[in-house]
Amino acid sequence: MTRMKASRLPLALLALLATTATAAAQQSDTVPIPENLVPDGIPPIPRSLVDQVRPYTEYRSAGLADWHPTRREMLIATRFASTPQIHRVSMPLGARSQLTFFDEPVTFASYEPRTGAYFLFTKDVGGNEFGQIFRYDFATRRSVRLTRGDRSQNGGIRWSHAGDRIAYGSTRRNGADRDLYVMNPADSASDRMVLEVQGGGWGVADWSPDDRRLIALEGLSVNRARLWLVDLPDGARREVVPLGASDTVAYGGARFSADGRSLYLTTDQDSEFLRLARLDLASRRLTVLTPRIAHDVVSFEPSHDGRTIAFVVNQDGRFALYLLDTTTGRYRPVPGVPLGIIGGLHWHPTRNLLGFTLSTIRSPGDVYVLDPARQSLTRWTESETGGLDTSTLPEPELIRWTSFDGREITGFYYRPPAKFTGKRPVIVDIHGGPESQALPGFQGRQTYFLAELGVAIIEPNV
């Protein structure tokens, strides 16, 4: 019966139906072009290519947020749904227990430093960058908002040494100037402004050991900053090292020494690079602690007992981790750290353990823990890479060449896996400037060119 009805259809209609069916089949096999784009010379993109590329976009990473104050466990930020959230990890490569569940990403978290009864985190709404401070209570498993002012930025949290207060910056007064506030997070009504400022570059760097003063950093530009001592509770301030109108000294961070008489900081004073130094608060004498390192010290973190400082050096894009003994002033590189981008240094409050986050060519970001006494490095998380085997990817090479005007240029050369032989095509990927830098971390979508097409990649630092 069906064949009889079909045979009676006009040939023109049959041809039209066949053409429509073929077009529909072709359309289902290619990616539709959005209406707001006009392709010019671009062939149809097969859906099979989309399926092939998808694993290279579905990786996730893990970043260290904070150590528990007494236990050997930590908070990390990682993504299992559409946004990164805070999870708890209790052992190396242990299960990740999710604690926050929001549509907006949550990447910062800080334990209450006495018992760990709660942690603080920041979150905005819809990516509006008006971050607010929240408290997550383990007893109730609920989150409570602590800060006020929907259209204000709140963050840069620093805990007092007693663990009963935080200092942070907020723009709630006028939406522009980042004033400094102090609050007991257990009672948001205790929130009060301690320093009214002008400018949006202010932040709390540290509390003094007796919790009577703050060290505040005022960023004016990428190469100019000021350091201020802020007395509590009256809010009186004085500049640590007064700058003239033409001074271009930069500071990358500052922390009090254990006795409160000095500041550890990074500065480019009298140098082309940010160097780790100690500043005596009474005499204002600056002692450079890393004079032989002709590279930027990009981050540092003193241990809670003040005996050791961990710091990271950016050596033409290659990150190196060092430990400095504050008694002798001697420092040494930490061997065995894979080539990659090191960040998020956190010393455990009661154990001699240093945690940090590392991104490499084979991992988009994972947490590692260094035990300096045993000289051992332990991986605590192993983030998924979309089902891809990244173990065959060679580490990037730091390369150097001379430019047309005689200057040395450095960059990173990413080789395809060994299965690709002979001469290979090359992508030269030049980053934006002037402050950007190509770093040897996970390549994400670009890994597709390496692993599937055998295309080499060169990222020059111009």
Short mmCIF file of all heavy atoms in Angstrom, two decimals, residues 254-303:
data_model
loop_
_atom_site.label_atom_id
_atom_site.label_comp_id
_atom_site.label_asym_id
_atom_site.label_seq_id
_atom_site.Cartn_x
_atom_site.Cartn_y
_atom_site.Cartn_z
N ALA A 254 53.95 41.90 51.17
CA ALA A 254 54.66 42.20 52.41
C ALA A 254 54.07 41.37 53.54
O ALA A 254 52.85 41.21 53.62
CB ALA A 254 54.58 43.68 52.74
N ARG A 255 54.95 40.84 54.40
CA ARG A 255 54.52 40.07 55.56
C ARG A 255 55.41 40.42 56.75
O ARG A 255 56.61 40.66 56.59
CB ARG A 255 54.62 38.57 55.28
CG ARG A 255 53.82 38.10 54.08
CD ARG A 255 52.31 38.26 54.27
NE ARG A 255 51.84 37.36 55.29
CZ ARG A 255 51.49 36.10 55.07
NH1 ARG A 255 51.60 35.58 53.86
NH2 ARG A 255 51.06 35.35 56.06
N PHE A 256 54.81 40.45 57.94
CA PHE A 256 55.58 40.71 59.16
C PHE A 256 56.49 39.53 59.49
O PHE A 256 56.14 38.37 59.25
CB PHE A 256 54.64 40.94 60.34
CG PHE A 256 54.11 42.34 60.44
CD1 PHE A 256 52.84 42.64 59.96
CD2 PHE A 256 54.85 43.35 61.02
CE1 PHE A 256 52.33 43.92 60.05
CE2 PHE A 256 54.37 44.64 61.12
CZ PHE A 256 53.09 44.93 60.63
N SER A 257 57.66 39.85 60.06
CA SER A 257 58.51 38.81 60.63
C SER A 257 57.87 38.31 61.91
O SER A 257 56.94 38.92 62.45
CB SER A 257 59.91 39.36 60.91
OG SER A 257 59.84 40.42 61.86
N ALA A 258 58.37 37.19 62.43
CA ALA A 258 57.77 36.59 63.62
C ALA A 258 57.85 37.51 64.83
O ALA A 258 56.97 37.48 65.70
CB ALA A 258 58.44 35.25 63.92
N ASP A 259 58.90 38.34 64.93
CA ASP A 259 59.02 39.25 66.06
C ASP A 259 58.37 40.61 65.82
O ASP A 259 58.35 41.46 66.71
CB ASP A 259 60.50 39.44 66.45
CG ASP A 259 61.32 40.03 65.30
OD1 ASP A 259 60.74 40.48 64.30
OD2 ASP A 259 62.56 40.01 65.42
N GLY A 260 57.83 40.84 64.64
CA GLY A 260 57.14 42.08 64.33
C GLY A 260 58.03 43.26 64.08
O GLY A 260 57.54 44.38 63.86
N ARG A 261 59.34 43.08 64.10
CA ARG A 261 60.27 44.21 63.94
C ARG A 261 60.62 44.48 62.48
O ARG A 261 61.15 45.55 62.17
CB ARG A 261 61.55 43.93 64.72
CG ARG A 261 61.34 43.79 66.23
CD ARG A 261 62.65 43.44 66.91
NE ARG A 261 62.46 43.27 68.36
CZ ARG A 261 63.42 42.89 69.19
NH1 ARG A 261 64.64 42.63 68.71
NH2 ARG A 261 63.17 42.75 70.48
N SER A 262 60.34 43.53 61.62
CA SER A 262 60.72 43.67 60.22
C SER A 262 59.56 43.25 59.32
O SER A 262 58.58 42.63 59.77
CB SER A 262 61.95 42.81 59.89
OG SER A 262 63.03 43.12 60.73
N LEU A 263 59.70 43.60 58.05
CA LEU A 263 58.79 43.13 57.02
C LEU A 263 59.58 42.32 56.01
O LEU A 263 60.68 42.73 55.60
CB LEU A 263 58.12 44.31 56.30
CG LEU A 263 57.13 45.17 57.07
CD1 LEU A 263 56.64 46.30 56.17
CD2 LEU A 263 55.96 44.35 57.58
N TYR A 264 59.03 41.19 55.61
CA TYR A 264 59.53 40.49 54.44
C TYR A 264 58.69 40.98 53.26
O TYR A 264 57.45 41.07 53.35
CB TYR A 264 59.41 38.98 54.59
CG TYR A 264 60.34 38.41 55.64
CD1 TYR A 264 59.84 37.93 56.85
CD2 TYR A 264 61.71 38.36 55.41
CE1 TYR A 264 60.69 37.41 57.82
CE2 TYR A 264 62.57 37.85 56.38
CZ TYR A 264 62.05 37.37 57.58
OH TYR A 264 62.90 36.87 58.53
N LEU A 265 59.34 41.28 52.16
CA LEU A 265 58.61 41.83 51.02
C LEU A 265 59.37 41.54 49.73
O LEU A 265 60.53 41.13 49.74
CB LEU A 265 58.41 43.35 51.20
CG LEU A 265 59.62 44.20 51.60
CD1 LEU A 265 60.47 44.56 50.39
CD2 LEU A 265 59.17 45.47 52.31
N THR A 266 58.69 41.75 48.61
CA THR A 266 59.35 41.72 47.31
C THR A 266 59.30 43.13 46.74
O THR A 266 58.27 43.81 46.82
CB THR A 266 58.68 40.74 46.35
OG1 THR A 266 57.28 41.01 46.26
CG2 THR A 266 58.88 39.31 46.80
N THR A 267 60.42 43.58 46.19
CA THR A 267 60.52 44.93 45.66
C THR A 267 61.56 44.97 44.56
O THR A 267 62.51 44.17 44.54
CB THR A 267 60.89 45.93 46.78
OG1 THR A 267 60.99 47.25 46.22
CG2 THR A 267 62.21 45.56 47.43
N ASP A 268 61.39 45.93 43.64
CA ASP A 268 62.39 46.14 42.59
C ASP A 268 63.25 47.35 42.87
O ASP A 268 63.87 47.91 41.96
CB ASP A 268 61.71 46.27 41.23
CG ASP A 268 60.81 47.50 41.13
OD1 ASP A 268 60.64 48.21 42.14
OD2 ASP A 268 60.28 47.76 40.04
N GLN A 269 63.31 47.77 44.13
CA GLN A 269 64.15 48.90 44.50
C GLN A 269 65.61 48.62 44.12
O GLN A 269 66.17 47.58 44.47
CB GLN A 269 64.05 49.18 46.00
CG GLN A 269 64.89 50.36 46.46
CD GLN A 269 64.68 50.67 47.93
OE1 GLN A 269 63.57 50.53 48.44
NE2 GLN A 269 65.74 51.09 48.61
N ASP A 270 66.21 49.54 43.35
CA ASP A 270 67.61 49.42 42.89
C ASP A 270 67.85 48.17 42.06
O ASP A 270 68.96 47.62 42.04
CB ASP A 270 68.58 49.44 44.07
CG ASP A 270 68.45 50.69 44.93
OD1 ASP A 270 68.22 51.78 44.35
OD2 ASP A 270 68.56 50.58 46.16
N SER A 271 66.83 47.70 41.36
CA SER A 271 66.98 46.48 40.58
C SER A 271 65.99 46.47 39.43
O SER A 271 64.96 47.16 39.46
CB SER A 271 66.78 45.24 41.45
OG SER A 271 66.77 44.06 40.69
N GLU A 272 66.30 45.67 38.42
CA GLU A 272 65.37 45.46 37.32
C GLU A 272 64.30 44.44 37.68
O GLU A 272 63.25 44.38 37.04
CB GLU A 272 66.15 44.98 36.08
CG GLU A 272 65.32 44.76 34.84
CD GLU A 272 66.13 44.24 33.67
OE1 GLU A 272 67.37 44.19 33.78
OE2 GLU A 272 65.51 43.87 32.65
N PHE A 273 64.55 43.65 38.75
CA PHE A 273 63.67 42.55 39.10
C PHE A 273 63.10 42.72 40.50
O PHE A 273 63.65 43.43 41.34
CB PHE A 273 64.45 41.22 39.04
CG PHE A 273 65.09 40.95 37.72
CD1 PHE A 273 66.44 41.17 37.51
CD2 PHE A 273 64.33 40.47 36.66
CE1 PHE A 273 67.04 40.92 36.29
CE2 PHE A 273 64.91 40.22 35.43
CZ PHE A 273 66.27 40.45 35.24
N LEU A 274 61.96 42.04 40.75
CA LEU A 274 61.41 41.95 42.10
C LEU A 274 62.27 40.96 42.88
O LEU A 274 62.40 39.80 42.49
CB LEU A 274 59.96 41.47 42.06
CG LEU A 274 58.90 42.47 41.61
CD1 LEU A 274 57.56 41.77 41.41
CD2 LEU A 274 58.76 43.59 42.64
N ARG A 275 62.85 41.43 44.00
CA ARG A 275 63.70 40.57 44.82
C ARG A 275 63.11 40.43 46.21
O ARG A 275 62.42 41.33 46.70
CB ARG A 275 65.11 41.16 44.90
CG ARG A 275 65.78 41.32 43.56
CD ARG A 275 67.21 41.86 43.68
NE ARG A 275 67.26 43.22 44.16
CZ ARG A 275 68.39 43.90 44.38
NH1 ARG A 275 69.56 43.31 44.14
NH2 ARG A 275 68.36 45.14 44.83
N LEU A 276 63.35 39.29 46.83
CA LEU A 276 62.90 39.07 48.20
C LEU A 276 63.84 39.84 49.14
O LEU A 276 65.06 39.75 49.02
CB LEU A 276 62.90 37.59 48.53
CG LEU A 276 62.37 37.19 49.92
CD1 LEU A 276 60.90 37.56 50.07
CD2 LEU A 276 62.56 35.69 50.14
N ALA A 277 63.26 40.61 50.08
CA ALA A 277 64.07 41.44 50.95
C ALA A 277 63.44 41.50 52.34
O ALA A 277 62.28 41.13 52.54
CB ALA A 277 64.20 42.86 50.37
N ARG A 278 64.25 42.00 53.29
CA ARG A 278 63.76 42.24 54.65
C ARG A 278 63.95 43.72 54.95
O ARG A 278 65.02 44.29 54.76
CB ARG A 278 64.52 41.38 55.66
CG ARG A 278 64.02 41.57 57.11
CD ARG A 278 64.73 40.66 58.10
NE ARG A 278 66.15 40.95 58.17
CZ ARG A 278 67.10 40.12 57.75
NH1 ARG A 278 66.76 38.94 57.24
NH2 ARG A 278 68.37 40.44 57.85
N LEU A 279 62.89 44.36 55.47
CA LEU A 279 62.93 45.78 55.79
C LEU A 279 62.80 45.96 57.29
O LEU A 279 61.80 45.55 57.89
CB LEU A 279 61.79 46.52 55.08
CG LEU A 279 61.66 48.01 55.38
CD1 LEU A 279 62.83 48.78 54.81
CD2 LEU A 279 60.34 48.55 54.83
N ASP A 280 63.82 46.54 57.92
CA ASP A 280 63.77 46.83 59.35
C ASP A 280 62.88 48.05 59.56
O ASP A 280 63.13 49.13 59.01
CB ASP A 280 65.19 47.11 59.87
CG ASP A 280 65.21 47.32 61.37
OD1 ASP A 280 65.03 48.48 61.81
OD2 ASP A 280 65.39 46.34 62.11
N LEU A 281 61.83 47.90 60.37
CA LEU A 281 60.85 48.97 60.54
C LEU A 281 61.39 50.16 61.31
O LEU A 281 60.96 51.29 61.12
CB LEU A 281 59.58 48.43 61.22
CG LEU A 281 58.76 47.46 60.37
CD1 LEU A 281 57.63 46.86 61.20
CD2 LEU A 281 58.21 48.15 59.14
N ALA A 282 62.35 49.93 62.20
CA ALA A 282 62.90 51.02 62.99
C ALA A 282 63.88 51.86 62.18
O ALA A 282 63.79 53.09 62.15
CB ALA A 282 63.57 50.48 64.24
N SER A 283 64.80 51.21 61.50
CA SER A 283 65.84 51.93 60.76
C SER A 283 65.49 52.16 59.30
O SER A 283 66.15 52.94 58.62
CB SER A 283 67.15 51.16 60.83
OG SER A 283 67.04 49.91 60.14
N ARG A 284 64.46 51.44 58.81
CA ARG A 284 64.06 51.47 57.40
C ARG A 284 65.17 50.96 56.48
O ARG A 284 65.21 51.28 55.29
CB ARG A 284 63.63 52.87 56.97
CG ARG A 284 62.38 53.38 57.69
CD ARG A 284 62.00 54.75 57.20
NE ARG A 284 60.80 55.22 57.88
CZ ARG A 284 60.28 56.43 57.70
NH1 ARG A 284 60.84 57.28 56.87
NH2 ARG A 284 59.19 56.79 58.35
N ARG A 285 66.05 50.17 57.03
CA ARG A 285 67.12 49.58 56.23
C ARG A 285 66.59 48.36 55.49
O ARG A 285 65.97 47.48 56.08
CB ARG A 285 68.28 49.19 57.13
CG ARG A 285 69.45 48.55 56.37
CD ARG A 285 70.53 48.08 57.31
NE ARG A 285 71.61 47.40 56.61
CZ ARG A 285 72.62 46.80 57.18
NH1 ARG A 285 72.74 46.80 58.51
NH2 ARG A 285 73.55 46.20 56.45
N LEU A 286 66.89 48.32 54.19
CA LEU A 286 66.44 47.22 53.34
C LEU A 286 67.60 46.28 53.07
O LEU A 286 68.66 46.70 52.62
CB LEU A 286 65.88 47.76 52.03
CG LEU A 286 65.25 46.72 51.09
CD1 LEU A 286 63.86 46.32 51.61
CD2 LEU A 286 65.15 47.27 49.67
N THR A 287 67.40 44.99 53.37
CA THR A 287 68.41 43.97 53.11
C THR A 287 67.86 43.00 52.07
O THR A 287 66.85 42.33 52.31
CB THR A 287 68.77 43.19 54.39
OG1 THR A 287 69.24 44.10 55.38
CG2 THR A 287 69.84 42.15 54.09
N VAL A 288 68.52 42.93 50.92
CA VAL A 288 68.08 42.01 49.86
C VAL A 288 68.50 40.60 50.22
O VAL A 288 69.68 40.34 50.52
CB VAL A 288 68.67 42.43 48.50
CG1 VAL A 288 68.28 41.42 47.42
CG2 VAL A 288 68.19 43.83 48.12
N LEU A 289 67.55 39.67 50.20
CA LEU A 289 67.83 38.28 50.59
C LEU A 289 68.16 37.39 49.40
O LEU A 289 68.70 36.30 49.58
CB LEU A 289 66.61 37.70 51.34
CG LEU A 289 66.19 38.46 52.60
CD1 LEU A 289 64.94 37.84 53.20
CD2 LEU A 289 67.32 38.48 53.62
N THR A 290 67.84 37.84 48.19
CA THR A 290 68.10 37.03 46.99
C THR A 290 68.93 37.84 45.99
O THR A 290 68.53 38.02 44.84
CB THR A 290 66.79 36.57 46.34
OG1 THR A 290 65.99 37.74 46.04
CG2 THR A 290 66.01 35.65 47.26
N PRO A 291 70.11 38.34 46.38
CA PRO A 291 70.87 39.21 45.47
C PRO A 291 71.42 38.50 44.24
O PRO A 291 71.69 39.14 43.22
CB PRO A 291 72.01 39.73 46.37
CG PRO A 291 72.19 38.67 47.41
CD PRO A 291 70.81 38.13 47.66
N ARG A 292 71.58 37.19 44.31
CA ARG A 292 72.20 36.46 43.20
C ARG A 292 71.17 35.95 42.20
O ARG A 292 71.55 35.32 41.20
CB ARG A 292 73.03 35.29 43.75
CG ARG A 292 74.16 35.70 44.67
CD ARG A 292 75.06 34.52 45.03
NE ARG A 292 74.29 33.41 45.59
CZ ARG A 292 73.95 33.31 46.87
NH1 ARG A 292 74.28 34.28 47.72
NH2 ARG A 292 73.27 32.28 47.31
N ILE A 293 69.89 36.17 42.46
CA ILE A 293 68.85 35.69 41.55
C ILE A 293 68.42 36.85 40.66
O ILE A 293 67.77 37.79 41.12
CB ILE A 293 67.65 35.12 42.31
CG1 ILE A 293 68.08 33.91 43.15
CG2 ILE A 293 66.53 34.73 41.35
CD1 ILE A 293 66.96 33.28 43.96
N ALA A 294 68.78 36.81 39.38
CA ALA A 294 68.46 37.89 38.44
C ALA A 294 67.16 37.59 37.72
O ALA A 294 67.09 37.63 36.48
CB ALA A 294 69.61 38.06 37.46
N HIS A 295 66.13 37.31 38.50
CA HIS A 295 64.79 37.07 37.96
C HIS A 295 63.78 37.54 39.00
O HIS A 295 64.13 37.77 40.16
CB HIS A 295 64.57 35.58 37.66
CG HIS A 295 65.52 35.00 36.65
ND1 HIS A 295 65.38 35.17 35.30
CD2 HIS A 295 66.65 34.26 36.82
CE1 HIS A 295 66.35 34.55 34.67
NE2 HIS A 295 67.14 34.00 35.57
N ASP A 296 62.52 37.65 38.58
CA ASP A 296 61.47 38.10 39.49
C ASP A 296 61.11 37.02 40.50
O ASP A 296 60.89 35.85 40.14
CB ASP A 296 60.20 38.47 38.72
CG ASP A 296 60.30 39.85 38.08
OD1 ASP A 296 61.08 40.68 38.56
OD2 ASP A 296 59.57 40.09 37.09
N VAL A 297 61.02 37.41 41.77
CA VAL A 297 60.38 36.57 42.79
C VAL A 297 58.90 36.90 42.74
O VAL A 297 58.48 37.99 43.13
CB VAL A 297 60.96 36.86 44.19
CG1 VAL A 297 60.22 36.04 45.25
CG2 VAL A 297 62.45 36.53 44.23
N VAL A 298 58.10 35.98 42.21
CA VAL A 298 56.70 36.28 41.90
C VAL A 298 55.76 36.05 43.08
O VAL A 298 54.65 36.59 43.11
CB VAL A 298 56.22 35.47 40.68
CG1 VAL A 298 56.97 35.92 39.43
CG2 VAL A 298 56.41 33.98 40.89
N SER A 299 56.17 35.24 44.06
CA SER A 299 55.34 35.03 45.24
C SER A 299 56.23 34.47 46.35
O SER A 299 57.28 33.88 46.10
CB SER A 299 54.18 34.06 44.95
OG SER A 299 54.66 32.78 44.59
N PHE A 300 55.76 34.66 47.59
CA PHE A 300 56.47 34.08 48.73
C PHE A 300 55.48 33.88 49.87
O PHE A 300 54.43 34.51 49.92
CB PHE A 300 57.65 34.97 49.17
CG PHE A 300 57.24 36.24 49.86
CD1 PHE A 300 57.24 36.33 51.25
CD2 PHE A 300 56.88 37.36 49.13
CE1 PHE A 300 56.87 37.51 51.90
CE2 PHE A 300 56.52 38.55 49.76
CZ PHE A 300 56.51 38.62 51.15
N GLU A 301 55.84 33.00 50.81
CA GLU A 301 54.97 32.71 51.95
C GLU A 301 55.81 32.25 53.13
O GLU A 301 56.46 31.20 53.06
CB GLU A 301 53.95 31.63 51.59
CG GLU A 301 52.93 31.35 52.68
CD GLU A 301 51.96 32.51 52.91
OE1 GLU A 301 51.86 33.39 52.02
OE2 GLU A 301 51.31 32.53 53.97
N PRO A 302 55.84 33.02 54.23
CA PRO A 302 56.55 32.57 55.43
C PRO A 302 55.78 31.45 56.12
O PRO A 302 54.55 31.44 56.13
CB PRO A 302 56.60 33.83 56.31
CG PRO A 302 56.21 34.97 55.42
CD PRO A 302 55.32 34.39 54.38
N SER A 303 56.51 30.51 56.73
CA SER A 303 55.87 29.49 57.54
C SER A 303 55.29 30.12 58.79
O SER A 303 55.67 31.24 59.17
CB SER A 303 56.87 28.39 57.91
OG SER A 303 57.96 28.94 58.66
#
